[in-house]
Structures are given as structure tokens and as C-alpha cells.
């Protein structure tokens, strides 16, 4: 939302919608609760069907694993019948056996496995896949599918290493890709109805422009300030049912990016409901453009619910437009950066999962004789540290720059400091090869030199050429990004809703009446909410029957105990909600406290950065050189000044009542909301590159944006191939005082030296980074 007023209206609508859903639940209208998204691993097959063989299925070696795959023939069946399938070999170049590819979430590897029948043997699969197959199975006809967990022998490292590079062809050749996000919940049908209406309206308004720049919100800050209000907007404004699809774990899996992007015909499926990817994009793009959902809280906190979708759309837009492509090494770096927050069971897959996209964009990229492409050999028998070290080495050599050093989070894998640990999904500052608006940085601190880096024989050290600029003498606090607990779609929000809904009676159609009689004595002592559910069903049966059943005194006692227990739970719910709200408010205020501290930090001594007035240094540093017009910073300066003035009431409040703003952060947020009632200002997106970083003062009087892990005494250097200054740390080798080594800390922004102003090739010397 673009103002405090819009935020308040949306919050009121969301709370109203949430209350309405609970009222419908109390009346018996919603028979499923949101916790039913969990997969049921208790499979109850009907006894009339033949039992699954006890002999385990044995894979036979593929005749040519580099060209041949297996296709699963899913046999027809009914809901209570076992999953039965046949595996047949298929040559990728042949078109005689059309098939669909399945994209899904593997789930926790420690979950109880479920047995299915494959040919004449049995095979154990995860509950997530089993659930997908039960929904995908036709009652009367066969269905041909490619499913990785079944069609690839997962016990064979050799076969996996050969088959994974074929993913590009497998998904390209499939007639369709079915993206199964999980079973349906109570709001699924309502959500699909909303998406269908949005998609239909979008096609009417934006006919023929689905993938154009105007209808593709690649970044939420670019959404219209005054969106069009339509009939669908009035019906679904602030509708929370979108959380059903947006919070599914499918969006966060490493492989799903490739599986979706390589498909020419993708369909998303939740339970029995389906929607094509194109229609989903039309619906969600239209909804975001109209601002039906809160995409930004308080002007600067991006709603985590919309991030996965926007991330996917932005990536697809980049790699489906030829003019957006670069060299294979540069594009692979961008792919890895874009997907680093995604998760995979095997840490090697954080790299392997994007190779199909690279091959699709650069057909010669992964061939052995490719000159300018990184050499990546898929091998599941390799040590993950070797895979990551080799990847960083190849990106430095083939891109011939140091951009990949911008993605070096703290690692638990005992890697050299210059190696990116792609398995780490911790939040870190965005790489400075791009600005805050995710545009490639056009300036170059070393005048567009090539890295020409080398590596030690054991690849433990990166050898670059550069020189020391200065050292860090003082540091401020890190600018955090708050993780909201009390927003729609957050974990705490889901816990709260499930907590409340656990009080409500479930569907009792399959529960025998005789099994509902409760144990009254255990009711008082036991706090299991399932007992409350049983009471509700029991009482409903009692009063709906002709014979009143138990005596009125027993029913009165049951009602009394239920009332007491419900009051206790409501009290806990209120306390839970209050605590999470206080945590959120403190997290929000931590941003403002840090920003106001940065202003004081920068003003203590006038910065002496070269080529710029000292009064201008701070705001240039705050946005890390991100400008609305890259060739002219004047417009961005006006945006900054407007935003700065909007914060003045809050700045005065925090200065005068600092203790109050920390003890009761909601008061300070109220001041902020009042000041930004009409608009939050447009400067927030320009500060993204400063997140998880800290202001630093340098030995020569300069002011700069330093890595979050920087320490006083760290050294700022310029190195060949480096787009931005780098921060390194000198450490004693093996605890000694004589021999020392350099370790990489992170990237820096120092205004005045970002475009080669002080680069001197003659000063460059060898620097070994361990």
C-alpha cells in the first residue's frame, strides 16, 4: 500500500474477513481447517483390492541413460485402491509416447514412507508424492507421467548424475507440466473462484498484453500509485484466501523454478482444483496492479506472501527475453543469486537445479568444448564442498570478474572465504553487482578491468591483484529487515488461525456415534483440543436426535466444562496475539532506531569522500548509488528529501521519548502512520542494498556502506575485475603472530570511488584470499 490510510483500510478488511471465516466455521460452514494441508500418511486401502507385492521393485539399467528415460504408466483406480503403475523405457527424441511431467515437493525425508506397486514389485515413496498420485489418477483410464522419484533410480548416484542434465529435454518434451502444490483446504474453492474472476477481468482490460512490461510487476515498488478500482476489486479487496496458494512450500523448492520455466504448458493443482499458469499470472498480476492485497507493509516491509510469485515472474521475464541475456557465466551467476533462498534436500541441487534453465538459454553452455561457459559436471558422489568450490572458481574464471564474491554468507561447511555456500539461505545483503532496484550496476570501481585471477594448486586460495585503500575505523549498527509474525500468511498467523479453528467441530459424517461418548473426568484434566471437538460433535448429535440421549445434567456439565476450557483458550489466544504484535512493533521500530542512529553517526564528522560535497555523501551512501535515472541523481535526491521530511515527526518523537518508543513501540508507529497517512514516500525501495549492512567510517575520513560482518580494523581494497570495493580481514595463520593471511569479508559501497576515480593499475599487487 502506498499510504498509511490504505494500510489501515486493508487491515480492517483483513480482520473482518478473518472474523467472517471463523463465524462460518462456528456455524459448520467450513468443515476443514487450515492444518489439513498436512499430508495424511495413514493410508486406509479397501480390503477388496489386491494387496501390494512384498518383493521390492528392482530397477534395471537403462540402455542409454544419456538419451533414454522411464515413463510411468499410472493405472486407473478409485480413491481407496492402491497406487499401481508400470515403468516403460522411452527415448527422448521419440514422440510416440506423450507424457506429462510432475512438479511437486518431496517433503521431509524423515517422514513415514508409503508403499506403492511398480510393475510386479513394491516401491516406497513419500506421502507428498503419494497424495499427488491419488489426485492425478483417473478412475477409468491410464495416465502417463514422468516423476523424478519413481522414473529415476534414486539409489544410483551414476544414474542420477546422468539423468539430471536431461531435465531440460524432459520438461520441454512433456505435453504438460502438472505443478501439484498439495491437498485442498477450506478456502481453496473460494480462492480459485477469485482467481478465475481476476483472470477473466484481466484479459478484458489487458487483452494481448499479459507478458508485457506494463502488466508484469517485477518489483512491488513499481506498482501503480492510483490503481483502477473495478467490480472484482470491490468484491475481493484484501481477500486473504490467496494465502492458500502463496504459502505452499512448492514455491520455495529449488527444482520448481526449472520445472516451471521449461514447460510450455503448465498447470497448478491444489487438490482437485486446477488453474493454468498463464491464467494464474493474469489473475495475480491484475490483483497486484489493482493492489487487492497488501504487497508492502508500512511502506518498506515487502509482504513475504507475494515474494515467491514475484521472484518467479521476474526470473521468467528475464530469461524468456533474448535482450536480457548475457554470457553463460554471468547468467549462471544471476540464476544462482536469484534462487539461493530456495531449498533442496541435497545441497548439490542448489546448483544442479538451475542448469536446465542455463542450457535452455544457452544451448552450448554445458558442453565439454564450450569456451566461455563454466564447466559443471553433475555428480552426486562428489563432496558438496568440492562442488561449491569448483562452481565459484569457474564463475570467477569464465566471467572474469569478482561479482560472485557478493554472495558469500556465513558457512558451516568449512569453505574458503571466497567460496559461496549455496546451501545457506540466511538473509544477507544483496550483491552489489546490482543496485537496490535489481538493475545491473553501470559504474565500475576498477574501470571495467578483467580479474585475470588465479588459484593455488589445491584451489584453497584465490589470487587477485589489487591494493589497499584504507581501513575501517568505526562502525554503526546493522540495518535489519524485520520478520513479521502477525501478518496474513506468516507462520504465527497460521498458528493462530489453526489454534482457533481447533475448537471447532470437524465433519462428523464418518465418525460412529458410539465412539463419541466422552470421558468426563479426563475432560477437566486433559487440555487436548481434540476432546473439545469431540464434545461439539457429541452435543450436536445429542440434540439433533429424537431421543435426547444423556440426561440434561450430564449435558449441562459438558457445556460448563466446554465453556471453561474455551475461555482459557481464548485468553491464551489473546496473549499469543498480543505478544506477537509487540514483537512485530519492536522489529519495525528497530529499522527507524537504526536509521536515526545512522544519521547521527554520519553527522559526527563531515565525510571527506572525493568529488562530492560532504552534505551529499550520506544520502548517496544510503541508496548505494541507486538512482531513478542512472544518469542523473537529482530526481532521486528530491525523492529522498521528501521521504526525510515525512519522517520528521517520528524523528522528533524518538529523540525526545526514546525510552517510550522502545518500551511502547506501538505509540511510535502511530506517530509514523499519522505522518504518512497520505503517502509513505518513494525512497524506501532505493535503500534495499543497504539492508543487512552497516555504515562505516574509514581511516581517510570517508563514509561508506560496509558488510554486516565487518569489524573495525578491516581493510578496504580495490582489485582487478571488482565492480565495487572489497573488504578483507588480516588474520594470524595457525594462531601465530608472524605469518598472516587475508580472508574475504564482503563488498562495500564508498561514494566517490565507485567509477574508477582512484583506480591505479600500477599499485596492484598479488593478494591471496584464503
Amino acid at each position: 500500500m502506498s499510504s498509511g490510510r490504505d494500510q489501515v483500510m486493508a487491515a480492517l478488511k483483513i480482520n473482518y474477513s478473518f472474523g467472517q471465516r471463523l463465524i462460518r466455521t462456528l456455524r459448520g460452514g467450513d468443515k476443514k481447517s487450515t492444518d489439513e494441508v498436512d499430508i495424511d500418511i495413514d493410508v486406509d486401502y479397501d480390503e477388496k483390492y489386491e494387496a501390494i507385492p512384498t518383493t521390492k521393485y528392482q530397477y534395471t539399467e537403462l540402455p542409454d541413460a544419456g538419451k533414454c528415460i522411464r515413463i510411468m504408466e499410472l493405472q486407473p483406480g478409485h480413491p481407496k485402491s492402491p497406487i499401481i503403475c508400470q515403468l516403460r523405457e522411452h527415448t527422448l527424441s521419440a514422440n510416440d509416447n506423450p507424457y506429462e511431467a510432475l512438479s511437486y515437493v518431496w517433503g521431509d525425508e524423515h517422514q513415514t514412507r508409503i508403499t506403492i506397486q511398480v510393475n510386479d514389485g513394491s516401491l516406497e515413496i513419500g506421502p507428498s508424492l503419494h497424495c499427488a498420485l491419488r489426485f492425478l489418477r483417473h478412475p477409468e483410464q491410464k495416465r502417463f507421467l514422468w516423476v523424478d522419484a519413481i522414473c529415476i533410480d534414486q539409489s544410483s548416484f551414476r544414474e542420477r548424475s546422468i539423468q539430471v542434465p536431461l531435465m531440460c529435454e524432459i520438461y520441454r518434451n512433456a505435453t504438460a507440466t502438472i505443478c501439484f502444490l498439495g491437498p485442498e483446504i477450506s478456502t481453496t474453492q473460494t480462492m480459485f473462484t477469485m482467481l478465475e474472476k481476476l483472470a477473466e477481468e484481466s484479459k478484458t482490460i489487458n487483452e494481448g498484453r499479459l507478458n508485457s512490461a506494463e502488466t508484469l510487476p517485477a518489483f512491488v515498488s513499481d506498482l501503480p500509485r492510483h490503481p483502477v478500482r473495478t467490480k472484482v476489486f470491490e468484491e475481493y479487496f484484501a481477500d486473504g484466501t490467496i494465502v492458500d496458494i502463496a504459502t505452499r512450500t512448492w514455491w520455495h523448492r529449488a527444482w520448481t523454478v526449472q520445472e516451471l520455466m521449461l514447460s510450455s504448458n503448465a498447470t497448478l493443482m491444489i487438490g482437485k482444483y486446477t488453474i493454468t499458469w498463464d491464467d494464474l499470472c493474469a489473475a495475480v498480476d491484475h490483483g497486484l496492479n489493482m493492489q487487492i492485497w497488501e504487497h508492502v507493509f508500512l511502506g518498506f516491509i515487502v509482504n513475504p506472501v507475494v515474494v515467491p510469485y514475484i521472484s518467479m515472474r521476474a526470473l521468467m521475464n528475464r530469461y524468456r527475453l533474448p535482450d536480457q541475456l548475457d554470457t553463460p557465466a554471468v547468467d549462471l551467476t544471476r540464476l544462482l543469486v536469484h534462487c539461493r533462498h530456495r531449498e533442496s534436500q541435497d545441497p548439490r541441487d542448489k546448483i544442479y537445479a538451475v542448469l536446465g534453465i542455463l542450457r535452455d538459454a544457452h544451448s552450448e553452455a554445458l558442453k565439454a568444448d564450450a569456451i566461455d561457459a563454466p564447466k559443471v559436471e553433475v555428480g552426486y558422489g562428489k563432496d558438496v564442498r568440492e562442488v561449491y568450490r569448483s562452481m565459484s572458481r569457474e564463475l570467477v574464471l569464465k566471467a572474469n570478474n569478482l561479482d560472485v564474491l557478493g554472495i558469500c554468507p556465513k558457512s558451516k561447511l568449512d569453505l574458503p572465504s571466497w567460496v559461496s555456500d549455496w546451501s545457506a539461505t540466511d538473509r544477507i545483503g544483496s550483491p552489489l553487482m546490482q543496485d537496490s532496484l535489481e538493475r545491473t550496476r553501470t559504474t565500475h570501481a576498477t574501470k571495467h578491468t578483467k580479474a585475470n585471477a588465479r588459484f593455488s594448486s589445491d584451489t584453497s586460495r584465490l589470487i587477485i591483484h589489487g591494493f589497499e585503500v584504507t581501513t575501517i575505523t568505526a562502525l554503526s549498527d546493522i540495518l535489519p529487515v524485520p520478520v513479521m509474525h502477525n501478518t496474513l500468511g506468516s507462520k504465527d498467523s497460521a498458528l493462530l488461525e489453526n489454534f482457533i479453528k481447533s475448537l471447532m467441530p470437524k465433519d462428523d459424517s464418518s465418525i460412529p456415534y458410539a465412539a463419541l461418548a466422552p470421558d468426563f473426568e479426563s475432560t477437566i484434566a486433559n487440555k487436548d483440543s481434540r476432546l473439545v471437538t469431540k464434545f461439539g460433535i457429541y452435543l450436536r448429535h445429542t440434540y439433533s436426535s429424537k431421543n435426547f440421549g444423556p440426561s440434561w445434567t450430564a449435558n449441562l456439565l459438558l457445556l460448563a466444562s466446554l465453556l471453561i476450557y474455551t475461555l482459557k483458550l481464548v485468553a491464551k489466544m489473546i496473549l499469543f496475539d498480543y505478544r506477537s504484535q509487540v514483537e512485530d512493533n519492536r522489529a519495525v521500530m528497530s529499522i527507524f532506531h537504526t536509521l536515526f542512529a545512522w544519521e547521527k553517526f554520519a553527522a559526527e564528522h563531515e565525510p571527506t569522500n572525493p568529488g562530492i560535497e560532504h552534505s551529499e555523501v550520506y544520502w548517496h551512501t544510503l541508496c548505494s548509488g541507486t538512482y531513478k535515472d542512472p544518469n542523473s541523481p537529482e530526481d532521486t535526491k528530491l525523492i529522498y528529501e521528501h521521504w526525510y521530511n515525512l519522517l520528521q515527526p517520528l524523528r522528533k518523537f524518538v529523540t525526545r521519548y526514546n525510552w517510550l518508543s522502545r518500551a511502547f513501540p506501538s505509540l511510535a508507529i502511530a506517530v509514523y502512520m499519522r505522518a504518512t497517512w497520505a503517502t509513505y514516500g518513494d525512497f524506501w525501495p532505493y535503500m534495499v542494498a543497504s539492508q543487512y549492512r552497516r555504515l562505516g567510517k574509514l581511516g581517510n575520513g570517508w563514509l561508506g556502506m560496509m558488510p554486516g560482518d565487518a569489524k573495525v580494523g578491516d581493510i578496504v581494497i580495490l582489485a582487478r575485475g571488482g565492480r565495487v570495493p572489497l573488504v578483507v580481514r588480516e588474520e594470524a595463520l595457525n594462531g601465530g603472530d608472524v605469518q598472516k593471511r587475508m580472508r574475504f569479508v564482503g563488498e562495500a559501497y564508498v561514494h566517490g570511488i565507485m567509477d574508477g576515480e582512484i583506480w591505479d593499475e600500477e599499485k596492484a599487487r598479488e593478494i591471496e584470499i584464503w
Side-chain angles (χ1 to χ4, degrees):
M1 299 295 162
S2 58
S3 68
R5 178 177 55 246
D6 294 338
Q7 193 92 60
V8 170
M9 294 302 295
L12 291 174
K13 178 66 183 293
I14 288 172
N15 289 331
Y16 174 77
S17 299
F18 182 75
Q20 289 295 101
R21 288 208 309 275
L22 290 181
I23 290 173
R24 288 198 302 270
T25 303
L26 278 166
R27 291 173 177 173
D30 285 345
K31 294 185 177 181
K32 290 185 179 180
S33 68
T34 53
D35 61 356
E36 290 185 60
V37 74
D38 296 329
I39 310 298
D40 185 7
I41 62 174
D42 295 326
V43 180
D44 182 21
Y45 293 132
D46 196 314
E47 294 181 358
K48 71 178 182 180
Y49 297 104
E50 188 175 342
I52 294 174
T54 56
T55 305
K56 290 187 176 181
Y57 172 73
Q58 298 295 322
Y59 285 92
T60 56
E61 189 171 341
L62 288 168
D64 187 350
K67 297 179 180 178
C68 185
I69 63 173
R70 300 183 186 91
I71 297 298
M72 186 185 82
E73 184 181 298
L74 181 61
Q75 302 299 312
H78 298 283
K80 289 291 185 179
S81 64
I83 297 294
I84 301 174
C85 60
Q86 300 286 329
L87 286 182
R88 59 171 64 181
E89 295 172 359
H90 173 73
T91 303
L92 273 173
S93 58
N95 297 318
D96 57 344
N97 190 11
Y99 64 91
E100 299 167 293
L102 178 63
S103 174
Y104 67 104
V105 176
W106 275 52
D108 188 350
E109 60 181 353
H110 301 296
Q111 284 181 311
T112 303
R113 311 284 284 177
I114 299 173
T115 303
I116 65 170
Q117 181 175 335
V118 178
N119 294 358
D120 295 325
S122 63
L123 182 70
E124 291 185 345
I125 62 174
S128 177
L129 175 55
H130 186 268
C131 177
L133 294 179
R134 294 184 78 169
F135 277 105
L136 287 167
R137 178 172 54 182
H138 294 312
E140 302 294 340
Q141 60 185 18
K142 300 175 183 178
R143 191 165 192 173
F144 296 93
L145 298 167
W146 185 87
V147 183
D148 56 359
I150 297 175
C151 297
I152 298 177
D153 182 0
Q154 297 297 321
S155 65
S156 171
F157 283 166
R158 179 179 178 277
E159 183 171 308
R160 287 168 60 192
S161 300
I162 297 173
Q163 291 274 286
V164 164
L166 300 179
M167 291 290 197
C168 181
E169 288 80 5
I170 291 172
Y171 281 90
R172 275 289 182 216
N173 292 352
T175 58
T177 296
I178 309 299
C179 306
F180 185 78
L181 277 61
E184 64 198 71
I185 62 172
S186 61
T187 59
T188 302
Q189 183 177 6
T190 304
M191 179 196 65
F192 271 83
T193 300
M194 174 184 66
L195 292 174
E196 289 170 1
K197 291 183 179 181
L198 282 169
E200 189 63 32
E201 185 176 81
S202 171
K203 292 172 184 177
T204 302
I205 297 175
N206 303 313
E207 186 175 0
R209 299 191 295 125
L210 176 61
N211 289 309
S212 67
E214 290 82 4
T215 60
L216 179 64
F219 193 73
V220 290
S221 64
D222 295 330
L223 297 178
R225 296 298 178 206
H226 304 288
V228 177
R229 305 305 194 213
T230 68
K231 182 180 178 181
V232 177
F233 174 87
E234 299 299 334
E235 184 177 359
Y236 290 108
F237 172 64
D239 189 285
T241 59
I242 193 66
V243 170
D244 179 9
I245 195 170
T247 55
R248 302 278 178 154
T249 54
W250 180 87
W251 295 99
H252 302 279
R253 180 171 168 258
W255 283 103
T256 54
V257 179
Q258 174 176 273
E259 293 162 357
L260 181 63
M261 287 184 63
L262 296 179
S263 174
S264 58
N265 180 21
T267 296
L268 272 67
M269 184 176 186
I270 296 180
K272 61 179 177 289
Y273 300 97
T274 61
I275 185 171
T276 66
W277 173 253
D278 287 343
D279 280 352
L280 177 73
C281 292
V284 177
D285 287 355
H286 186 43
L288 287 173
N289 278 319
M290 290 196 299
Q291 299 185 16
I292 284 181
W293 308 292
E294 285 185 287
H295 53 277
V296 175
F297 303 117
L298 301 175
F300 61 93
I301 304 172
V302 179
N303 187 346
V305 171
V306 303
V307 167
Y309 169 79
I310 292 176
S311 173
M312 186 82 78
R313 288 290 271 147
L315 190 64
M316 294 179 75
N317 191 46
R318 174 183 289 274
Y319 286 91
R320 285 184 175 176
L321 299 176
D323 60 337
Q324 295 289 319
L325 298 178
D326 209 307
T327 66
V330 172
D331 283 340
L332 180 55
T333 303
R334 289 173 176 169
L335 274 172
L336 291 170
V337 170
H338 206 100
C339 298
R340 70 168 294 273
H341 67 280
R342 297 179 176 273
E343 298 177 352
S344 63
Q345 287 189 351
D346 192 315
R348 301 167 190 83
D349 284 336
K350 292 298 290 289
I351 292 175
Y352 300 158
V354 301
L355 296 182
I357 305 173
L358 184 69
R359 279 192 60 197
D360 189 55
H362 302 276
S363 57
E364 306 295 317
L366 300 181
K367 292 185 177 180
D369 57 350
I371 299 175
D372 61 344
K375 293 180 180 179
V376 185
E377 295 182 3
V378 177
Y380 285 95
K382 296 180 180 179
D383 186 280
V384 65
R385 291 170 294 184
E386 177 189 347
V387 173
Y388 286 172
R389 184 168 6 193
S390 175
M391 187 74 268
S392 290
R393 178 180 180 276
E394 284 296 306
L395 291 176
V396 169
L397 290 176
K398 295 302 168 65
N400 212 1
N401 61 41
L402 303 180
D403 286 352
V404 71
L405 296 185
I407 318 99
C408 289
K410 289 182 179 179
S411 175
K412 299 178 181 178
L413 297 179
D414 190 26
L415 293 167
S417 63
W418 53 271
V419 174
S420 299
D421 181 358
W422 300 107
S423 67
T425 57
D426 303 341
R427 292 187 172 193
I428 59 172
S430 59
L432 292 180
M433 64 181 181
Q434 58 191 24
D435 63 16
S436 294
L437 299 181
E438 298 187 356
R439 302 172 303 192
T440 300
R441 194 175 292 277
T442 56
T443 57
H444 203 288
T446 60
K447 293 185 176 179
H448 301 277
T449 55
K450 302 298 182 182
N452 296 325
R454 296 185 295 109
F455 295 85
S456 60
S457 57
D458 60 355
T459 66
S460 64
R461 301 184 300 281
L462 166 65
I463 303 170
I464 57 179
H465 289 78
F467 59 88
E468 178 180 332
V469 176
T470 185
T471 58
I472 300 174
T473 57
L475 287 166
S476 64
D477 292 333
I478 297 174
L479 182 65
V481 175
V483 178
M484 305 298 284
H485 299 279
N486 206 33
T487 60
L488 196 63
S490 67
K491 290 183 178 180
D492 281 11
S493 174
L495 285 173
L496 178 60
E497 187 167 351
N498 287 337
F499 181 60
I500 299 171
K501 284 192 174 185
S502 67
L503 298 175
M504 310 310 163
K506 303 286 182 66
D507 184 8
D508 59 327
S509 58
S510 61
I511 303 177
Y513 174 72
L516 296 171
D519 178 0
F520 178 73
E521 292 184 2
S522 66
T523 302
I524 305 301
N526 196 321
K527 295 183 179 180
D528 186 357
S529 61
R530 293 182 181 273
L531 286 175
V532 180
T533 299
K534 278 194 171 186
F535 288 158
I537 299 170
Y538 174 70
L539 290 176
R540 196 163 66 196
H541 269 280
T542 298
Y543 289 107
S544 63
S545 62
K546 293 182 179 179
N547 298 322
F548 240 48
S551 66
W552 68 270
T553 54
N555 283 326
L556 185 61
L557 287 172
L558 284 173
L559 285 171
S561 62
L562 179 62
L563 178 61
I564 293 171
Y565 185 63
T566 302
L567 289 173
K568 287 182 178 180
L569 290 179
V570 169
K572 290 181 180 179
M573 179 196 73
I574 293 173
L575 182 60
F576 176 88
D577 186 46
Y578 172 75
R579 287 176 176 172
S580 64
Q581 190 65 58
V582 169
E583 290 177 7
D584 282 354
N585 291 341
R586 285 176 177 163
V588 168
M589 283 308 301
S590 68
I591 299 289
F592 295 108
H593 286 132
T594 302
L595 286 174
F596 297 153
W598 278 14
E599 293 173 1
K600 293 180 179 179
F601 181 85
E604 286 177 356
H605 301 285
E606 293 182 352
T608 60
N609 295 48
I612 186 173
E613 292 291 331
H614 63 82
S615 60
E616 299 281 298
V617 174
Y618 175 68
W619 81 262
H620 282 282
T621 304
L622 188 60
C623 67
S624 299
T626 303
Y627 309 120
K628 185 175 182 178
D629 179 357
N631 299 315
S632 175
E634 292 306 314
D635 289 344
T636 310
K637 180 181 179 181
L638 295 176
I639 293 172
Y640 165 75
E641 290 174 345
H642 176 241
W643 170 82
Y644 180 89
N645 291 331
L646 285 173
L647 295 185
Q648 188 60 18
L650 179 60
R651 187 179 290 106
K652 289 181 178 179
F653 181 84
V654 170
T655 302
R656 184 175 299 180
Y657 307 108
N658 187 272
W659 67 272
L660 195 61
S661 68
R662 295 180 185 276
F664 302 99
S666 57
L667 295 177
I669 292 176
V671 173
Y672 171 73
M673 294 289 285
R674 177 66 185 88
T676 57
W677 189 250
T679 177
Y680 287 125
D682 297 336
F683 190 71
W684 287 109
Y686 292 84
M687 295 168 46
V688 170
S690 297
Q691 294 171 347
Y692 302 108
R693 289 190 164 89
R694 61 204 324 173
L695 278 183
K697 293 179 180 177
L698 307 180
N700 51 12
W702 297 350
L703 182 73
M705 192 65 67
M706 301 293 117
D709 292 331
K711 296 180 180 179
V712 171
D714 286 347
I715 304 168
V716 179
I717 68 170
L718 289 177
R720 282 183 198 159
R723 198 183 300 265
V724 298
L726 306 176
V727 177
V728 297
R729 183 174 300 149
E730 198 172 46
E731 294 181 344
L733 185 62
N734 298 325
D737 294 329
V738 179
Q739 288 185 314
K740 295 185 177 181
R741 64 182 182 184
M742 291 287 189
R743 293 187 63 84
F744 178 69
V745 178
E747 297 178 313
Y749 180 91
V750 183
H751 197 78
I753 68 169
M754 296 301 295
D755 205 18
E757 292 89 344
I758 67 168
W759 172 252
D760 187 347
E761 183 71 36
E762 294 183 357
K763 291 183 179 180
R765 60 178 179 82
E766 276 194 0
I767 302 175
E768 288 193 356
I769 307 296
W770 288 66

